[in-house]
Amino acid sequence: MDLSILLMSIGIFLIIVSFFFKNSAKKVEKDVEELSISIFQETNQLKRRLKVVEEELLLEPEFQVKSKSTSHHTAHNPKVQQMMQAVQQAAQTAKTTQTTAQTKPIHQIIISQVLELNRQGLSVADISIRSNLTEEQVRQVIANGGR
Protein backbone atom coordinates (compact mmCIF):
# COMPACT_ATOMS: atom_id res chain seq x y z
CA MET A 1 0.00 0.00 0.00
CA ASP A 2 2.89 2.27 0.69
CA LEU A 3 3.95 2.10 -2.98
CA SER A 4 0.48 2.92 -4.32
CA ILE A 5 0.18 5.96 -2.03
CA LEU A 6 3.62 7.13 -3.18
CA LEU A 7 2.72 6.74 -6.89
CA MET A 8 -0.63 8.45 -6.39
CA SER A 9 0.97 11.41 -4.59
CA ILE A 10 3.60 11.75 -7.34
CA GLY A 11 0.83 11.72 -9.98
CA ILE A 12 -1.17 14.41 -8.17
CA PHE A 13 1.97 16.49 -7.74
CA LEU A 14 2.76 16.25 -11.48
CA ILE A 15 -0.79 17.23 -12.41
CA ILE A 16 -0.59 20.31 -10.17
CA VAL A 17 2.83 21.24 -11.57
CA SER A 18 1.56 20.87 -15.14
CA PHE A 19 -0.97 23.68 -14.53
CA PHE A 20 1.88 26.10 -13.85
CA PHE A 21 3.72 25.41 -17.11
CA LYS A 22 2.44 27.25 -20.17
CA ASN A 23 1.52 25.33 -23.24
CA SER A 24 4.06 26.21 -25.93
CA ALA A 25 1.91 24.71 -28.69
CA LYS A 26 -0.70 27.42 -28.17
CA LYS A 27 1.96 30.11 -28.50
CA VAL A 28 3.30 28.60 -31.71
CA GLU A 29 -0.23 28.30 -33.07
CA LYS A 30 -0.91 31.95 -32.26
CA ASP A 31 2.36 33.04 -33.92
CA VAL A 32 1.56 31.08 -37.08
CA GLU A 33 -1.92 32.61 -37.21
CA GLU A 34 -0.53 36.14 -36.85
CA LEU A 35 2.06 35.43 -39.52
CA SER A 36 -0.54 34.12 -41.97
CA ILE A 37 -2.74 37.17 -41.37
CA SER A 38 0.15 39.56 -41.97
CA ILE A 39 1.14 37.73 -45.17
CA PHE A 40 -2.47 37.88 -46.37
CA GLN A 41 -2.62 41.62 -45.69
CA GLU A 42 0.67 42.27 -47.47
CA THR A 43 -0.47 40.21 -50.46
CA ASN A 44 -3.68 42.18 -50.72
CA GLN A 45 -1.77 45.44 -50.43
CA LEU A 46 0.58 44.39 -53.23
CA LYS A 47 -2.38 43.39 -55.40
CA ARG A 48 -3.94 46.82 -54.88
CA ARG A 49 -0.69 48.55 -55.78
CA LEU A 50 -0.26 46.38 -58.87
CA LYS A 51 -3.80 47.19 -59.95
CA VAL A 52 -3.10 50.93 -59.61
CA VAL A 53 0.07 50.60 -61.67
CA GLU A 54 -1.74 48.60 -64.35
CA GLU A 55 -4.49 51.21 -64.52
CA GLU A 56 -1.92 54.00 -64.82
CA LEU A 57 -0.20 52.18 -67.68
CA LEU A 58 -3.51 51.61 -69.43
CA LEU A 59 -4.53 55.25 -69.02
CA GLU A 60 -1.21 56.62 -70.29
CA PRO A 61 -0.77 55.20 -73.79
CA GLU A 62 1.73 57.92 -74.74
CA PHE A 63 4.30 56.50 -72.32
CA GLN A 64 7.77 56.77 -73.83
CA VAL A 65 11.06 55.57 -72.45
CA LYS A 66 13.69 58.27 -72.72
CA SER A 67 16.68 56.74 -74.39
CA LYS A 68 19.08 59.67 -73.87
CA SER A 69 19.28 59.46 -70.09
CA THR A 70 19.17 55.68 -69.94
CA SER A 71 21.44 54.93 -72.91
CA HIS A 72 24.54 55.24 -70.74
CA HIS A 73 23.30 52.53 -68.35
CA THR A 74 21.85 50.26 -71.00
CA ALA A 75 24.55 50.48 -73.67
CA HIS A 76 26.12 47.25 -72.44
CA ASN A 77 22.86 45.36 -71.90
CA PRO A 78 21.04 44.35 -75.10
CA LYS A 79 18.16 42.79 -73.17
CA VAL A 80 17.31 46.13 -71.60
CA GLN A 81 17.44 47.78 -75.01
CA GLN A 82 15.10 45.13 -76.40
CA MET A 83 12.70 45.72 -73.50
CA MET A 84 12.78 49.46 -74.11
CA GLN A 85 12.00 48.94 -77.78
CA ALA A 86 9.15 46.59 -76.92
CA VAL A 87 7.67 49.16 -74.53
CA GLN A 88 7.94 51.89 -77.15
CA GLN A 89 6.30 49.66 -79.77
CA ALA A 90 3.50 48.84 -77.33
CA ALA A 91 2.98 52.55 -76.67
CA GLN A 92 2.84 53.25 -80.41
CA THR A 93 0.39 50.39 -80.89
CA ALA A 94 -1.77 51.76 -78.11
CA LYS A 95 -1.65 55.20 -79.71
CA THR A 96 -2.74 53.83 -83.10
CA THR A 97 -5.45 51.78 -81.40
CA GLN A 98 -6.65 54.94 -79.71
CA THR A 99 -6.81 56.81 -83.02
CA THR A 100 -8.77 53.97 -84.61
CA ALA A 101 -11.05 53.94 -81.58
CA GLN A 102 -11.83 57.57 -82.33
CA THR A 103 -13.43 56.54 -85.60
CA LYS A 104 -15.53 53.82 -83.95
CA PRO A 105 -18.91 54.82 -82.57
CA ILE A 106 -19.03 55.36 -78.81
CA HIS A 107 -21.13 52.86 -76.90
CA GLN A 108 -24.33 54.17 -75.31
CA ILE A 109 -23.21 53.12 -71.81
CA ILE A 110 -20.08 55.25 -72.10
CA ILE A 111 -22.13 58.16 -73.44
CA SER A 112 -24.48 57.98 -70.46
CA GLN A 113 -21.47 57.73 -68.13
CA VAL A 114 -19.92 60.84 -69.71
CA LEU A 115 -23.17 62.78 -69.40
CA GLU A 116 -23.61 61.75 -65.76
CA LEU A 117 -20.04 62.72 -64.88
CA ASN A 118 -20.61 66.06 -66.60
CA ARG A 119 -23.79 66.58 -64.52
CA GLN A 120 -21.73 65.86 -61.40
CA GLY A 121 -19.43 68.75 -62.34
CA LEU A 122 -16.27 66.90 -63.31
CA SER A 123 -13.89 68.53 -65.76
CA VAL A 124 -13.49 67.30 -69.33
CA ALA A 125 -10.00 66.00 -68.49
CA ASP A 126 -11.32 63.97 -65.53
CA ILE A 127 -14.17 62.58 -67.61
CA SER A 128 -11.68 61.70 -70.34
CA ILE A 129 -9.53 59.76 -67.88
CA ARG A 130 -12.48 57.89 -66.35
CA SER A 131 -14.12 56.97 -69.64
CA ASN A 132 -10.97 56.23 -71.71
CA LEU A 133 -12.11 58.71 -74.36
CA THR A 134 -10.16 61.62 -75.71
CA GLU A 135 -11.04 65.07 -74.47
CA GLU A 136 -12.38 65.96 -77.90
CA GLN A 137 -14.69 62.93 -77.87
CA VAL A 138 -15.92 63.92 -74.42
CA ARG A 139 -16.64 67.45 -75.64
CA GLN A 140 -18.51 66.08 -78.66
CA VAL A 141 -20.65 63.80 -76.49
CA ILE A 142 -21.47 66.68 -74.11
CA ALA A 143 -22.21 69.03 -77.02
CA ASN A 144 -24.49 66.51 -78.72
CA GLY A 145 -26.21 65.64 -75.46
CA GLY A 146 -25.71 61.92 -76.06
CA ARG A 147 -27.12 61.83 -79.59
Side-chain angles (χ1 to χ4, degrees), residues 56-65 87-88 90-92 94-95 98 102 134:
E56 287 178 0
L57 288 176
L58 288 175
L59 294 177
E60 297 178 11
E62 297 179 12
F63 173 75
Q64 294 287 328
V65 177
V87 168
Q88 289 175 346
Q92 289 174 352
K95 188 183 282 186
Q98 185 179 15
Q102 291 174 357
T134 64

Coordinates of all heavy atoms in Angstrom, one line a residue, residues 56-65 87-88 90-92 94-95 98 102 134:
E56 N -2.7 52.8 -64.4 CA -1.9 54.0 -64.8 C -1.3 53.7 -66.2 O -1.3 54.6 -67.1 CB -0.8 54.4 -63.8 CG -1.3 55.0 -62.6 CD -0.2 55.3 -61.6 OE1 0.9 55.0 -61.9 OE2 -0.6 55.8 -60.5
L57 N -0.8 52.5 -66.4 CA -0.2 52.2 -67.7 C -1.3 52.1 -68.8 O -1.0 52.5 -69.9 CB 0.6 50.9 -67.6 CG 1.9 50.9 -66.8 CD1 2.5 49.5 -66.7 CD2 2.9 51.8 -67.4
L58 N -2.4 51.7 -68.4 CA -3.5 51.6 -69.4 C -4.0 53.0 -69.8 O -4.4 53.3 -70.9 CB -4.7 50.7 -68.9 CG -4.4 49.2 -68.9 CD1 -5.6 48.5 -68.3 CD2 -4.1 48.7 -70.3
L59 N -4.0 53.9 -68.8 CA -4.5 55.2 -69.0 C -3.5 56.2 -69.7 O -3.9 57.2 -70.1 CB -5.0 55.9 -67.7 CG -6.2 55.2 -67.1 CD1 -6.5 55.8 -65.7 CD2 -7.4 55.2 -68.0
E60 N -2.3 55.8 -69.7 CA -1.2 56.6 -70.3 C -0.6 55.9 -71.5 O 0.5 55.4 -71.5 CB -0.1 56.9 -69.3 CG -0.7 57.7 -68.1 CD 0.4 57.9 -67.0 OE1 1.6 57.7 -67.3 OE2 0.0 58.4 -65.9
P61 N -1.3 55.9 -72.6 CA -0.8 55.2 -73.8 C 0.4 55.9 -74.5 O 1.1 55.3 -75.3 CB -2.0 55.1 -74.7 CG -2.8 56.3 -74.4 CD -2.6 56.5 -72.9
E62 N 0.6 57.2 -74.1 CA 1.7 57.9 -74.7 C 3.0 57.8 -73.9 O 3.9 58.6 -74.1 CB 1.3 59.4 -74.9 CG 0.1 59.6 -75.8 CD -0.3 61.0 -75.9 OE1 0.5 61.9 -75.4 OE2 -1.3 61.3 -76.4
F63 N 3.1 56.7 -73.1 CA 4.3 56.5 -72.3 C 5.5 56.2 -73.2 O 5.4 55.4 -74.1 CB 4.0 55.3 -71.4 CG 5.3 54.8 -70.7 CD1 5.7 55.6 -69.6 CD2 5.9 53.7 -71.0 CE1 6.8 55.2 -68.9 CE2 7.0 53.3 -70.3 CZ 7.5 54.0 -69.3
Q64 N 6.6 57.0 -73.0 CA 7.8 56.8 -73.8 C 9.0 56.6 -72.9 O 9.1 57.3 -71.9 CB 8.0 58.0 -74.7 CG 7.0 58.2 -75.8 CD 7.1 57.1 -76.9 OE1 8.2 56.7 -77.2 NE2 6.0 56.7 -77.5
V65 N 9.8 55.7 -73.2 CA 11.1 55.6 -72.4 C 12.1 56.5 -73.0 O 12.4 56.4 -74.3 CB 11.6 54.1 -72.5 CG1 12.9 54.0 -71.7 CG2 10.5 53.2 -71.9
V87 N 8.6 48.2 -75.2 CA 7.7 49.2 -74.5 C 7.3 50.3 -75.5 O 6.1 50.7 -75.5 CB 8.3 49.7 -73.2 CG1 7.6 50.9 -72.7 CG2 8.4 48.6 -72.2
Q88 N 8.2 50.8 -76.2 CA 7.9 51.9 -77.2 C 7.0 51.4 -78.3 O 6.1 52.1 -78.6 CB 9.2 52.4 -77.7 CG 10.0 53.2 -76.7 CD 11.4 53.7 -77.3 OE1 11.8 53.2 -78.3 NE2 12.0 54.6 -76.6
A90 N 4.8 49.0 -78.0 CA 3.5 48.8 -77.3 C 2.8 50.2 -77.2 O 1.6 50.3 -77.4 CB 3.6 48.2 -76.0
A91 N 3.6 51.2 -76.8 CA 3.0 52.5 -76.7 C 2.5 53.1 -78.0 O 1.4 53.7 -78.1 CB 4.0 53.5 -76.1
Q92 N 3.3 52.8 -79.1 CA 2.8 53.3 -80.4 C 1.6 52.5 -80.9 O 0.7 53.0 -81.5 CB 4.0 53.1 -81.4 CG 5.1 54.1 -81.2 CD 6.3 53.8 -82.1 OE1 6.3 52.7 -82.8 NE2 7.3 54.6 -82.1
A94 N -0.7 51.2 -78.9 CA -1.8 51.8 -78.1 C -2.2 53.1 -78.7 O -3.4 53.4 -78.7 CB -1.4 51.9 -76.7
K95 N -1.3 53.9 -79.1 CA -1.7 55.2 -79.7 C -2.4 55.0 -81.0 O -3.4 55.7 -81.2 CB -0.4 56.0 -80.0 CG -0.7 57.5 -80.4 CD 0.6 58.2 -80.7 CE 1.2 58.7 -79.5 NZ 2.4 59.6 -79.7
Q98 N -5.8 53.8 -80.2 CA -6.7 54.9 -79.7 C -7.2 55.8 -80.9 O -8.3 56.2 -80.9 CB -5.9 55.8 -78.7 CG -6.7 56.9 -78.1 CD -5.8 57.7 -77.1 OE1 -4.6 57.6 -77.1 NE2 -6.5 58.5 -76.3
Q102 N -11.1 56.3 -82.1 CA -11.8 57.6 -82.3 C -12.8 57.5 -83.5 O -13.8 58.1 -83.5 CB -10.8 58.7 -82.6 CG -10.0 59.0 -81.4 CD -8.9 60.0 -81.7 OE1 -8.7 60.4 -82.8 NE2 -8.2 60.4 -80.7
T134 N -11.0 60.4 -75.6 CA -10.2 61.6 -75.7 C -11.0 62.8 -75.2 O -12.2 62.7 -75.2 CB -9.7 61.9 -77.2 OG1 -10.9 62.1 -78.0 CG2 -8.9 60.7 -77.7

